[in-house]
Amino acid sequence: MSITMEHSGTTEIGSSRRRKEDAHLITGQTVWTDNIRLPGMVHLAFKRSPMAHARVRGLDVSPALGRPGVLAAYAAADLAADTINLPCAWPVTPDMVHPDHHPLAPDEVRHVGDPVAVVVAADRFAAADAVEAIEVEFDPLPAVVDMEAAVADGAPLVHGDAGTNACYRWPFATGDYQAARRAADVVVSRRYVNQRLIASAMEPRSVVVVPTPATGEFTVYSATQVPHILRLMLCQLCGIPEHKLRVVAPDVGGGFGSKLDVYAEEVVALLVARELGVPVKYTETRSEGCQTTVQGRDQIQRIEVAARRDGTLLGLKVDLLADMGAYLQLVTPGIPVLGAFMYPGIYKMDAYSFDCTGVFTTKTPTDAYRGAGRPEATFAIERVMDDLAAELGMDPIELRRKNWIAHEEFPYTTIAGLTYDSGNYEAATGKALRMFGYDELRAEQRQRRDRDDPVQLGIGVSTYTEMCGLAPSRVLGSLSYGAGGWEAATVRVLPTGKVEVVTGISPHGQGHETGFSQVVADTLGVPFEDIEIIHGDTRSAPQGMDTYGSRSLVVGGVAVYQAARRVRDKARRIAAHLLEANPDDVEFADGTFRVKGAPGPATTMAEVALATFTAHNLPDGVEPSLFAECVFDPENFSFPHGTHLCAAEVDTETGRVTIRRYVAVDDCGTVVNPLLVEGQVVGGIAEAIGQALYEHAVYDADGNLLTGTFADYLVPGAPDLPAIDTGLTQTPATSNPLGVKGVGEAGTIGGTPCVVNAIVDALRPYDVTDVPMPATPQTVWRAIQQAKTVGTH
């Protein structure tokens, strides 16, 4: 698809507009789900398993019923929750093991926090107190925590009837890797671990269900990224007609993938509301969220790269163990499959072999976490490229230059089978190197090494690309994904010339109202301030596939643009009639229709809107309406890219890491709003630094989460982060008419390997080749001591 963008003459696209949605967010006028207060509303609290794996030998909820304020208490069978299975929409292989996953566990619990019963009370405190009275007898079963041990012969089973802890095996290969290996001069093999992470959104999960018994209707308010998907799944699970269920995502305080799911608590709240006929609320505590909200990453990566002595890549082999946790949530098994296509990154090679085994453990289920499989893949390929450069004695930038796809070669079909439509890695890298002062920092590094400075300087490199704009429905179908990737939009010009835009995209902090308004303002020539974006409510926005996978602008924004363009085309026809001209002779600029080459009369979009409303003088056969719809399904993913550079100082005596300089130059195609892009990139890098240096969901051998509070699970705050210098290059996408590419996950994808590469680079004189994440002072110090015991330094 070629770029055919037609502007009205205004210049909103490319402008750093401040976010129009921020006023109500920072003045206390927000509507978070937990803010909702309704007459007669009751509250839920869940009895959760204190054990990672056990049989439920006995369960008695009756003691809770005598507690003050308690209205009801239910086990699974009391709500028929034992007949409902939470959905997994991505069966990646025909023989994938898909165990039962009930909203309330009827007979066996499989991770700490697995719910077995629910209490309903007049307030959340009474409910929480009454939960303690529920009597449960557990027969302990062996915990399964280590992935490698879980797939060994004789390992205890998470799901006994499955006969295995392997959820699936997904192999993929192109070319002959063994032949590439035989032809190689150098083979570098590594084992990397992408540790388990807890998504720490500012707003906890929350749900309110409001029944209307007279009509059999329900309204579900949820802090969710996916109101449309949630609506469909709740209808299917609970047997409610789709037209009787409305889902509203009010203001949502972050998600990062953790709110891209259908949770047990949402299902139970709906069941209880149907049972009692009153509004029901549940809001998780932070400790509950750490135990029960889906977690991210948790992969063991064995990666091998074969190359010639001059640095030319020949082949890549990846063997992956991916922790599913105890159950399969909405897209759990598909996350590593997404990553499978990105291990080759931006590089050319002759052969690629990928093999992934999904593994069940008695831990909280994993699912999407910002980047969803692609940060893991980028981490592995960018780490091993640095290790290969060290093996060959090459500068890591030079090794990358030798192997990346040159800008003249696009469109380029990679060894993994993806067709990258456009890119310019040379431009992004060149700009990043200049901003960073690469040569000067390398000179300083040599000086520190020469004098054996106890504080060494490391320079980390990450040159990434990603597949995002999760969409093409046929491609998703070929991967057995359970839904399409299209997105819907409606644009309405009101009689006064103001504009309403309805989108199926549901924001949770990205700035959609601002960016979409800029697109519509340029397309229709109306003021930015005169555009309202309507979203997050399945009644007012009945069609949509929601927000995840950096698809908001690439899919949803393009749908908005296409709908606005259709409105403009209809308005041109009406304007031509009013101007007594042929529509082909009418041009549009600065919000005004004029006859080409004629200084005479003109009419504005607002005047056309009013004329359409009155319908006194319309062309024959034209209906008196000025609105249009579009459902956009892209023909390809989008492929943003960038170069991130990190200078880190590592104290070899204490292990302390200090990020001294961080530069990120990203290319997300046509930039609608540079301010929004910078916010997304910096936010993503903050999460990348979190994984690299701070965050780790740690379980003990019995399956207990040891980092279940923010006192133990370290999330970096603003004082912990360096200043981040950002830059942009713009290589428009050719797969959509706006030329845009995604950017919401870019910082997380490019950032983590960049930081770890800097740390390892600082320690290479000490024979350190890897530092596990998170690279805490203790971890770094231990890596140095271990290298001393086996090395020569």
Side-chain angles (χ1 to χ4, degrees), residues 519-535:
V519 170
V520 173
D522 268 8
T523 308
L524 295 183
V526 298
F528 171 84
E529 295 78 11
D530 287 352
I531 300 165
E532 181 184 8
I533 310 298
I534 299 167
H535 55 76

Side-chain angles (χ1 to χ4, degrees), residues 48-53 109-115 287-288 290-292 295 326 362-365 699-700 702-705:
R48 300 185 183 277
S49 171
M51 298 182 180
H53 198 193
V109 291
R110 294 181 172 88
H111 68 89
V112 172
D114 212 355
S287 57
E288 280 183 303
C290 289
Q291 290 182 344
T292 62
Q295 298 173 356
T362 53
K363 293 185 279 188
T364 301
Y699 289 78
D700 68 15
D702 295 321
N704 297 302
L705 179 63

Side-chain angles (χ1 to χ4, degrees), residues 256 408 460 506 746:
F256 313 116
E408 301 93 345
S506 182

